[in-house]
Amino acid sequence: MTIQAWMMFALVLFCIGLYGVLARRNLIGILIGIELMLNAASVNVLAVNYHVANDPAVGRIIVLFIIGLAAAEAAIALSIILAVYRQRTSIDVANLEELKG
Amino acid sequence: MNHSLIALVCVASPLIAFVVALVGFRRRHGIAAGIVLTSGVASLVAAAALLLTAHPEAQAFTSRWFVIGDVSIEFGVLLDGRTLIMGAVVALVTLCIQIYSLSYMADDPGRGRFFAFLALFEWSMLSFVFSANLLQTFIFWELIGLSSFLLIGFWYEKPSAVAAAKKAFIMTRIGDVGLFIGLILLFRATGTLDVMEIGRIFEPQGQPSSIPPGQIELIALMLFIGVIGKSAQFPLHTWLPDAMEGPTPVSALLHSATMVAAGIFLVARFHELFLDAPTTMRVMLGIATFTALLAATMAMVAKDMKRVLAYSSISQLGFMLIGLSAGSLFAGYFHLTTHAFFKALLFLCAGAYIHGCGTNDMIAMGRAGVARMRITTIGLVVGGAALAGIPPLAGFFSKEQIIGTLDGSGLFYTIIRIGVYAAAFLTAYYSFRMIFLITRPNADSLAVEDEPAHAQHAGSDHSAGHDPAEPWVMCGPIILLTLGAIGVGFLGGRIAALLGIEHAHAPTLAEMAPAVGIALLGVALAWFEFGRTGARQAGFVASFPPVQTLFEKRWYIDEFYQRVFVRPVVWFAKLCYGTETRALDGAADKLARGVVRAGGETARRHIGRLQLYIGAAVASVAVLVFYLAME
């Protein structure tokens, strides 16, 4: 596959994730969208790494880091969601409007 | 024996006591006092050991602090005759006052802090005295000012005490600027900060040094301005009487061996330099004589005992400067030493009386029968007589030396001599006026009609109604200082030897006669007016009401300063304050209110939809990327 194809795939994945983040009312749905966006970024990095970089090890290490951070982020986000649910028995973002002026 | 180590103990132990007492035991008064007293004893023992064992030839122990270019700043101790004597006097007098304070401040809620400050004071003064470097001299000079500020304003709930502390600080600062300029000029002229080195540069008398005489005059004049501030000479003397607002032990400390003595010590320290500046010495002589006379006239009409002593301090400091500026290191230095003893003694007596009867007014004290306090009264009589210069007490010997040095001829010296004799006469007069007013109260004297407001002025430290009892803790220091006031005068030869003067001027009977005669004349007048049975207890100046008022109003000097300097400054400060509150603050407030309102408006535009925000952010980034890609 060419680099263009890989990047197009990553772009589609990213847009699906972005749509999830913007459109879903459920916090868990938003979280899944964020994970998709991160994975799209990883794919992008790997594609560039495979076709362009001199030393392919660098891109792989970066992606490993992204995966690790994504796991940590997911854990934190889930615990926040859990805390939100405990407080208001709902995880609908429409109800989280404290910052409204 | 290692002298540098002993000197270090002497100087550093008050510092350690200060830090430990202030940080650790400010509220545990007993422990704080114990620590400070221990350090006081340590300092005294060390200073005495130094005095007895060290060579009077100058030797310095220094260690480098930092280097700028090729100037090395060093800290250390300088041991020579001048520092050894002064160090021992400071340590002894301070210890006496610390012991005395145990009783005097026994009921004060802040006495832990008080003792810590006493230690700070002792540390600053000892470090100043032993200073081996101009920078060190200046730093500790300022620290002396700071610690006296803290102690004068010790009762900070009292507005008058706060005002007095501020006044003392600001007035002495005026002089400090002069001193600082002088020290910098001195450094520029000599190229060294080492005190011993500077002494050596100016040592060879008669032989012109490499520095132009005009410059030496300027340096000496600038240093003298610092001395004017610190040692309360005219025209910067007005802070000293107000400093009576502090607790009486503080006054005793301030007026005998520390604070005001620092200025005199500075002149003694750089006496070689001053000897090379004859014009400045004449100015000094004139100012000192005028101050001695001026303060003596104020002392002869004051009713507040502490104020009498304060004025007499100013006057006696004038005497010391007269001795020094007439060219005799020994005369001035000797008087500094003896004065430390008898003035501390007099203040401690005053404190004991105030503690006993709750008033500062000498007439009220006399009526309250404080003379029944035996030991204190003996101390008062000895101290007063020493102040008056009655032989064979300490003050006599040193004052006699000062009068003996005034052997110049010409109109100037004649005027000075007359002034000094008049001041000596008034000194004897007012000290015995004080003694007689207290020991021989007269129930139906003319002085009944003094305003009661004055009696309670100037910080009568304790409420009335005490039994005039004499606690032993108070008596001990009084007895010790009484012995000092009697005995120190006989140590003149030893002091002269330590100062490196071989032939101390040994007065003959004929030379002594005028000094003694004048002192006795003063005593006789005081006896006639205040002492004898049926005396009117009104001074001879009372017959000239305008003069009496002039003296009582302190020659209107305070008032003059108030009108010419203080009020315009206060007016200007108020103007600035008004500008600040109305114009600047108003503008800033309006601006801030505008920001708040704008914020409120913006906040209303927010609907709180997270996803909308994210969408907007993503869209903006997309537009930006698109725009950049088009470039």
Side-chain angles (χ1 to χ4, degrees):
Chain A
M1 277 167 86
T2 60
I3 186 169
Q4 282 87 355
W6 278 118
M7 287 183 96
M8 193 54 75
F9 169 62
L11 181 65
V12 171
L13 201 58
F14 185 85
C15 287
I16 294 170
L18 184 62
Y19 173 77
V21 169
L22 293 184
R24 301 289 301 195
R25 288 278 173 260
N26 191 311
L27 279 175
I28 292 183
I30 293 174
L31 182 61
I32 291 171
I34 292 172
E35 292 298 319
L36 281 181
M37 287 159 79
L38 277 168
N39 285 338
S42 299
V43 169
N44 210 347
V45 168
L46 280 178
V48 173
N49 184 56
Y50 183 75
H51 287 281
V52 182
N54 295 326
D55 184 0
V58 177
R60 287 176 201 156
I61 292 168
I62 291 176
V63 169
L64 277 177
F65 265 101
I66 293 177
I67 292 169
L69 284 173
E73 175 255 315
I76 293 169
L78 278 172
S79 59
I80 291 174
I81 292 168
L82 214 62
V84 169
Y85 180 74
R86 279 211 190 126
Q87 207 189 353
R88 22 185 101 204
T89 63
S90 148
I91 48 172
D92 189 343
V93 274
N95 293 339
L96 304 176
E97 293 189 324
E98 261 85 47
L99 288 177
K100 191 169 156 185
Chain B
M1 217 192 283
N2 195 344
H3 288 139
S4 62
L5 204 65
I6 304 176
L8 192 67
V9 169
C10 178
V11 171
S13 55
L15 172 65
I16 297 166
F18 163 65
V19 172
V20 173
L22 194 67
V23 174
F25 303 102
R26 193 159 29 134
R27 308 212 185 286
R28 272 176 275 173
H29 306 299
I31 301 177
I35 292 169
V36 172
L37 279 180
T38 313
S39 84
V41 171
S43 279
L44 178 59
V45 169
L50 283 176
L51 182 63
L52 295 178
T53 61
H55 286 291
E57 285 97 52
Q59 47 180 339
F61 305 97
T62 57
S63 70
R64 179 166 295 172
W65 185 22
F66 60 84
V67 180
I68 305 172
D70 48 358
V71 180
S72 150
I73 309 282
E74 304 196 329
F75 260 49
V77 289
L78 168 60
L79 302 181
D80 68 354
R82 290 169 231 185
T83 62
L84 290 174
I85 298 170
M86 197 63 202
V89 170
V90 169
L92 177 59
V93 172
T94 309
L95 183 65
C96 284
I97 288 162
Q98 283 168 347
I99 295 170
Y100 179 87
S101 303
L102 279 180
S103 166
Y104 192 84
M105 302 298 282
D107 310 321
D108 198 280
R111 61 189 187 285
R113 187 165 54 93
F114 182 78
F115 279 101
F117 287 163
L118 283 185
L120 174 69
F121 210 150
E122 188 180 10
W123 172 61
S124 329
M125 189 66 194
L126 285 174
S127 304
F128 168 76
V129 167
F130 284 118
S131 157
N133 183 290
L134 288 188
L135 187 68
Q136 192 184 349
T137 304
F138 185 72
I139 289 174
F140 286 103
W141 174 279
E142 292 295 346
L143 272 175
I144 291 168
L146 169 71
S147 31
S148 55
F149 168 80
L150 290 172
L151 282 172
I152 294 168
F154 177 71
W155 285 315
Y156 56 82
E157 313 89 352
K158 220 165 70 169
S160 58
V162 175
K166 269 193 290 194
K167 188 172 180 181
F169 199 65
I170 293 171
M171 294 293 275
T172 48
R173 286 232 48 101
I174 297 172
D176 292 352
V177 174
L179 175 77
F180 193 54
I181 296 171
L183 290 181
I184 290 173
L185 287 177
L186 183 57
F187 171 59
R188 260 191 49 184
T190 60
T192 176
L193 288 169
D194 193 325
V195 170
M196 214 159 75
E197 190 67 36
I198 289 168
R200 226 174 279 139
I201 288 173
F202 289 99
E203 190 87 64
Q205 271 185 37
Q207 184 184 324
S209 54
S210 54
I211 306 153
Q215 209 169 340
I216 299 179
E217 295 281 0
L218 187 63
I219 293 169
L221 193 66
M222 285 296 159
L223 294 183
F224 179 56
I225 289 175
V227 174
I228 288 181
K230 206 66 146 190
S231 292
Q233 296 299 292
F234 178 82
L236 296 179
H237 62 277
T238 56
W239 66 268
L240 196 139
D242 290 23
M244 294 298 107
E245 290 297 339
T248 309
V250 173
S251 311
L253 194 58
L254 229 66
H255 290 185
S256 55
T258 59
M259 185 74 179
V260 294
I264 307 297
F265 183 79
L266 189 82
V267 179
R269 177 76 272 172
F270 296 112
H271 200 246
E272 295 90 354
L273 186 157
F274 280 98
L275 283 177
D276 284 352
T279 315
T280 306
M281 290 286 257
R282 282 186 145 222
V283 174
M284 285 165 67
L285 190 54
I287 287 182
T289 311
F290 182 64
T291 309
L293 200 55
L294 182 81
T297 60
M298 296 176 193
M300 62 192 265
V301 293
K303 296 188 181 94
D304 183 324
M305 183 170 179
K306 280 176 82 178
R307 285 204 181 249
V308 172
L309 294 177
Y311 295 134
S312 102
S313 286
I314 301 177
S315 175
Q316 295 307 305
L317 290 164
F319 269 102
M320 295 170 207
L321 269 181
I322 291 168
L324 288 173
S325 53
S328 166
L329 173 65
F330 172 60
Y333 201 93
F334 191 23
H335 199 51
L336 177 63
T337 317
T338 56
H339 177 258
F341 284 96
F342 63 72
K343 188 48 66 70
L345 168 64
L346 284 172
F347 267 111
L348 294 192
C349 292
Y353 287 145
I354 293 167
H355 200 74
C357 71
T359 172
N360 284 8
D361 189 323
M362 291 189 292
I363 296 161
M365 269 179 193
R367 297 234 184 82
V370 288
R372 283 197 307 271
M373 298 163 74
R374 276 279 156 65
I375 293 169
T376 313
T377 304
I378 292 172
L380 173 80
V381 173
V382 170
L387 175 61
I390 304 292
L393 300 168
F396 160 71
F397 290 98
S398 51
K399 204 173 282 181
E400 199 285 323
Q401 281 289 341
I402 290 172
I403 292 173
T405 56
L406 291 168
D407 47 6
S409 55
L411 181 65
F412 178 68
Y413 270 95
T414 313
I415 294 171
I416 293 291
R417 220 172 291 137
I418 292 171
V420 170
Y421 279 128
F425 169 74
L426 289 180
T427 305
Y429 173 70
Y430 70 67
S431 29
F432 275 85
R433 169 178 175 264
M434 176 175 74
I435 292 173
F436 290 142
L437 277 179
I438 287 167
T439 55
R440 301 182 60 84
N442 188 345
D444 43 68
S445 64
L446 269 186
V448 180
E449 55 196 349
D450 41 80
E451 64 275 47
H454 192 87
Q456 289 300 325
H457 194 56
S460 46
D461 306 348
H462 297 274
S463 55
H466 281 285
D467 268 354
E470 298 180 281
W472 270 104
V473 184
M474 280 188 173
C475 285
I478 289 180
I479 292 170
L480 195 61
L481 287 172
T482 306
L483 294 177
I486 296 171
V488 176
F490 295 105
L491 298 177
R494 177 101 187 87
I495 289 174
L498 275 170
L499 291 176
I501 298 158
E502 271 96 48
H503 306 289
H505 169 74
T508 61
L509 206 61
E511 282 172 326
M512 282 189 204
V516 177
I518 272 181
L520 288 179
L521 212 60
V523 176
L525 185 61
W527 169 256
F528 178 74
E529 284 177 350
F530 297 97
R532 71 193 163 90
T533 326
R536 288 167 62 236
Q537 296 219 323
F540 60 90
V541 277
S543 338
F544 311 101
V547 181
Q548 166 100 355
T549 332
L550 178 71
F551 290 173
E552 273 176 356
K553 296 277 181 197
R554 314 188 208 169
W555 293 64
Y556 296 99
I557 294 171
D558 272 49
E559 210 144 313
F560 175 75
Y561 288 165
Q562 196 70 24
R563 289 227 173 128
V564 176
F565 298 114
V566 178
R567 265 187 227 164
V569 169
V570 169
W571 176 82
F572 182 67
K574 276 194 181 139
L575 184 74
C576 292
Y577 177 72
T579 317
E580 211 261 323
T581 46
R582 267 175 237 134
L584 293 177
D585 270 13
D589 282 359
K590 225 161 237 168
L591 188 70
R593 265 196 290 274
V595 169
V596 168
R597 204 174 310 131
E601 287 295 314
T602 328
R604 220 164 296 149
R605 304 283 176 279
H606 284 236
I607 53 168
R609 284 286 159 84
L610 263 181
Q611 287 169 318
L612 207 64
Y613 298 161
I614 298 173
V618 170
S620 320
V621 171
V623 168
L624 197 67
V625 167
F626 188 68
Y627 174 75
L628 288 175
M630 293 305 284
E631 288 285 301

